[in-house]
Amino acid sequence: MSSSVLIQFAHPALEKSRVNRHLIQAVRDLPGVFFNDLYENYPDFQIDVRHEQELLRRHATIIFMHPFYWYSSPAIVKEWLDLVLEHGFAYGQTGKELVGKRMLNAVTAAGPQEAYRPEGYNKFTMRHLLSPFEQTANLCGMQYLAPFVVHGSLHMHSLAEVMPYVRLYRSIVQALVEDKVDYAAAAKAESLNTILFSETSFS
Ligand SMILES: Cc1cc2nc3c(=O)[nH]c(=O)nc-3n(C[C@H](O)[C@H](O)[C@H](O)COP(=O)(O)O)c2cc1C
């Protein structure tokens, strides 16, 4: 299996984006990355299921990249999951197409990191809130990795504030393409932001 990365990007108002617009510039043209803009390709939500399944077959790692909306993803990601992960393709006795692949979320959230814990105003950790993605991956025989998270996104007003995350995200995607991730550690971590890679470390 190749270690190539499929980025399933979902932002319903990219023209207003301050953070994702810079993050995508850093990764969309990386060798080994296929960038799939769901809202651009399917503005009417008429998802091409066979095409999307073929994209999944061709990639080893699937990243759902999106702003955090109501503790989850924008709506098209749910529609995509409902339609594309069919019985007999993604799960069930004969549905083995995704077995051995990896999945993660790359999210931007307005809430600060300290809000996403039991004592914080959002009560739950980001990892906990993303558990429907994790269990979807489990059911399909995929390994779910900790999310990459940009917190405090609405307070980022300049490119200088976003740039450290842009660099970090690019490094993470690059490491996934090159298969240089400590997957066991990445599966257990709260987020990928601080995870150790076999060759590089981030703090
Ligand atoms: C409909 C909607 C729901 C949102 N829900 C959340 C949320 O549950 N938690 C959170 O931290 N931020 C939430 N936000 C803030 C977005 O995550 C924030 O606008 C986004 O990360 C900014 O990224 P961008 O500059 O690329 O648009 C929400 C924003 C919108 C428009």
Side-chain angles (χ1 to χ4, degrees):
M1 190 191 295
S2 95
S3 60
S4 59
V5 171
L6 173 62
I7 297 182
Q8 299 290 49
F9 178 65
H11 195 310
L14 189 53
E15 68 285 355
K16 294 188 198 151
S17 163
R18 281 188 301 216
V19 181
N20 280 280
R21 66 190 306 168
H22 296 302
L23 293 177
I24 64 178
Q25 292 311 327
V27 295
R28 66 182 304 158
D29 297 325
L30 277 178
V33 170
F34 188 89
F35 184 81
N36 196 27
D37 186 334
L38 295 176
Y39 277 101
E40 184 175 85
N41 294 341
Y42 307 115
D44 53 4
F45 276 47
Q46 297 299 305
I47 291 170
D48 183 341
V49 172
R50 297 292 160 255
H51 173 67
E52 293 295 319
Q53 289 178 341
E54 192 47 39
L55 286 179
L56 290 177
R57 280 193 190 90
R58 295 211 304 260
H59 295 87
T61 303
I62 319 301
I63 301 180
F64 290 103
M65 178 182 180
H66 54 88
F68 211 41
Y69 276 11
W70 286 114
Y71 306 106
S72 184
S73 64
I76 203 166
V77 177
K78 184 63 166 63
E79 181 74 352
W80 184 97
L81 292 166
D82 293 352
L83 296 178
V84 177
L85 301 188
E86 287 178 324
H87 182 266
F89 171 81
Y91 70 101
Q93 286 226 313
T94 57
K96 306 287 180 209
E97 297 284 353
L98 304 181
V99 171
K101 296 178 187 285
R102 302 189 172 91
M103 182 203 287
L104 65 141
N105 296 75
V107 305
T108 62
Q113 190 168 7
E114 55 274 20
Y116 285 94
R117 53 186 192 201
E119 321 77 58
Y121 67 82
N122 283 324
K123 304 288 183 203
F124 297 95
T125 65
M126 188 58 84
R127 184 95 199 229
H128 192 144
L129 292 163
L130 289 168
S131 58
F133 286 93
E134 179 163 1
Q135 183 49 25
T136 298
N138 290 341
L139 189 78
C140 297
M142 305 173 83
Q143 182 180 36
Y144 186 77
L145 306 180
F148 166 74
V149 187
V150 179
H151 283 288
S153 58
L154 294 182
H155 294 291
M156 293 180 181
H157 299 293
S158 68
L159 181 58
E161 289 170 284
V162 183
M163 272 320 283
Y165 294 97
V166 168
R167 280 194 284 269
L168 178 56
Y169 185 50
R170 185 182 163 92
S171 304
I172 288 171
V173 173
Q174 186 92 56
L176 288 164
V177 169
E178 293 170 2
D179 228 2
K180 287 182 178 162
V181 176
D182 178 344
Y183 293 112
K188 274 192 274 172
E190 182 55 32
S191 86
L192 277 191
N193 300 43
T194 53
I195 203 66
L196 294 179
F197 291 86
S198 44
E199 296 203 344
T200 330
S201 70
F202 301 106
S203 54

